[in-house]
Amino acid sequence: MVDVTGAAELLGHEAEMLAVRLGHAQRLGNMGWAEWHLHTGETIWSDQVYVIFGRDPGDGPIPLPDLPEHVEPADVATLDRLLWSVVQGVEPVQAEFRIRRGGAAPDLRDLRVVLEPLSGPGGTIGMHGVIQDITGRRRAERMVSESRRQLLEARERAAEERHVMLALREAILPEPVGCLDLQQTKIAVRYVPAEKTANLGGDWFEAASAADGRVLLAIGDASGHGLPAISRMAQLRHALVGLAMTGQGANRLLAWLNDLVMHQLKDTTATAIIGHLDPETRVFAWGQAGNLAPILVRDGEATQLAQPRGVLLGAAPGSPYELATTRLLPGDQLLLFTDGLVERRTRDIDVGLDLALAAARRVCGHDLDGSLDRLLTDIGGPNPEDDACLLAVGILS
């Protein structure tokens, strides 16, 4: 005999559990269901739709004719098209529009609504469907879109600033094309800007014939990045060009530049190598201020020259700078460089220097210009963080 009472209780319990699960799913998805009956005017909402509209269940659901009053005015036409499509069709249709929720602080909510017609005798008698609050999702999408827009604008501004700074550098410090050829001597220069847009710095070089027949060779690096560093670089280089007209030795020129940095370029330091090459005797007389010593390539071997005494420009007033002399031989190559060539944030500077020494062994005086390109490739290409200057002298056989 069937226990009708027990079966009814079981079905009732299962129905109750199903209702609980359905309500839980609606809360998690922030969605609910609704029905509108066109002939009777009856409107039925699930509990979650009241939450979505911010409406007290005691006030009852919003009748269909009153629904446009709660929709953002700019989206009323979307609602009209949605309702018209439901009445005319037989398939579910969907749309997104915004509603205004009342209260002390009215706010806009983004809704996605999926509706389908309720069919009866004579055609469509109403509609029912699902309403979901997607405000959080759309807000997150707008934030991502705005962040992407701001990032693109920042990149465009940075690229424009880099273009301006490169143009300014080119105007102040035009890079020579190919080699500067002198009697039995080739001179080639590379200025390699940092890969990162914001890090264009104050590296500079000079290679020019002096009035007494010697060749002035110099490289340097003013501290900082961007336009301030370019400005300090220009002052140092132009000062050197003027001071070199005195014919004084490299050590004396460095002392004068140190005084300039100490008294005119406040809160600035700079590194430099300055030297004079006598084409007749092939003697290179040079001094340095906090810069790595040049690399001498001779008979396929690359070594650093012994470094004369000299501190950073701007580090201390009245600091002495020693003058060193190096006699170059036919077939020698001499490489002057700033620290951006070998220094990387991701590796020790000694590792970079070893790479440069290994690559320098393959530098050829008869193809000095091409050799510098290969050397830069061999040591890892442009420095992501810092500019680099490389000035090479080749003594022909």
Side-chain angles (χ1 to χ4, degrees), residues 19-38:
V20 170
R21 293 189 184 109
L22 181 60
H24 186 57
Q26 290 185 56
R27 287 191 297 274
L28 288 178
N30 203 5
M31 64 175 66
W33 57 267
E35 288 186 1
W36 289 275
H37 294 266
L38 300 180

Side-chain angles (χ1 to χ4, degrees), residues 46-367:
S46 70
D47 293 342
Q48 192 63 27
V49 178
Y50 287 97
V51 175
I52 291 172
F53 276 81
R55 188 174 176 85
D56 188 337
D59 295 333
I62 299 173
L64 190 60
D66 298 340
L67 190 58
E69 299 176 6
H70 299 266
V71 174
E72 175 69 6
D75 294 348
V76 170
T78 300
L79 174 63
D80 290 342
R81 287 192 297 270
L82 174 68
L83 298 179
W84 176 256
S85 299
V86 175
V87 173
Q88 296 299 313
V90 294
E91 299 294 331
V93 293
Q94 64 176 319
E96 292 185 19
F97 54 84
R98 294 165 295 171
I99 62 169
R100 285 188 173 274
R101 296 206 310 197
D107 67 317
L108 286 176
R109 310 298 296 181
D110 292 273
L111 303 188
R112 175 185 287 134
V113 179
V114 181
L115 297 177
E116 62 180 356
L118 282 170
S119 298
T124 301
I125 63 171
M127 61 192 73
H128 63 180
V130 175
I131 300 172
Q132 184 179 22
D133 187 339
I134 57 172
T135 304
R137 184 185 308 171
R138 293 293 176 259
R139 186 173 296 160
E141 290 172 354
R142 287 191 288 270
M143 290 175 62
V144 170
S145 177
E146 176 63 16
S147 298
R148 185 181 295 114
R149 184 190 64 80
Q150 293 178 2
L151 178 60
L152 289 174
E153 288 183 355
R155 286 177 175 174
E156 290 174 358
R157 287 195 301 269
E160 184 176 353
E161 290 174 2
R162 179 178 176 83
H163 177 75
V164 170
M165 287 190 289
L166 283 172
L168 180 60
R169 275 201 62 104
E170 181 63 22
I172 296 172
L173 187 64
E175 185 172 353
V177 178
C179 293
L180 304 177
D181 295 337
L182 303 171
Q183 183 178 3
Q184 296 299 310
T185 305
K186 281 183 175 288
I187 299 174
V189 176
R190 286 293 181 275
Y191 164 68
V192 186
E195 286 184 329
K196 289 189 177 179
T197 301
N199 282 353
L200 196 63
D203 289 50
W204 56 274
F205 61 86
E206 181 59 46
S209 296
D212 58 7
R214 295 180 300 169
V215 180
L216 174 67
L217 301 172
I219 59 167
D221 181 7
S223 60
H225 293 103
L227 291 175
I230 293 175
S231 174
R232 292 189 286 266
M233 171 272 289
Q235 293 181 70
L236 281 170
R237 178 174 175 269
H238 292 160
L240 173 63
V241 171
L243 292 171
M245 297 297 293
T246 64
Q248 292 292 317
N251 56 335
R252 186 60 181 144
L253 297 179
L254 284 168
W256 282 336
L257 289 181
N258 185 54
D259 289 340
L260 172 68
V261 175
M262 292 294 304
H263 299 293
Q264 298 297 323
L265 304 179
K266 298 294 186 181
D267 300 319
T268 298
T269 58
T271 62
I273 288 180
I274 299 175
H276 291 98
L277 175 64
D278 187 330
E280 295 295 328
T281 64
R282 302 193 187 94
V283 171
F284 180 59
W286 62 287
Q288 64 82 30
N291 203 97
L292 293 169
I295 294 174
L296 175 63
V297 183
R298 176 173 292 171
D299 298 330
E301 294 296 324
T303 57
Q304 275 191 286
L305 298 180
Q307 195 163 20
R309 184 173 59 175
V311 299
L312 281 169
L313 300 177
S319 297
Y321 293 91
E322 291 182 348
L323 187 68
T325 57
T326 303
R327 184 177 297 276
L328 302 178
L329 303 177
D332 284 353
Q333 289 86 45
L334 187 66
L335 307 178
L336 286 65
F337 56 93
T338 56
D339 59 4
L341 183 72
V342 297
E343 194 171 29
R344 298 288 191 277
R345 182 177 295 179
T346 57
R347 73 187 184 203
D348 189 84
I349 192 171
D350 289 336
V351 175
L353 187 57
D354 288 341
L355 289 173
L357 286 167
R361 298 189 188 103
R362 294 184 287 276
V363 172
C364 173
H366 291 280
D367 183 25

Side-chain angles (χ1 to χ4, degrees), residues 359 362-364 367 369-379:
R362 294 184 287 276
V363 172
C364 173
D367 183 25
D369 201 45
S371 293
L372 294 192
D373 292 332
R374 290 190 293 272
L375 183 146
L376 290 170
T377 300
D378 290 344
I379 65 174

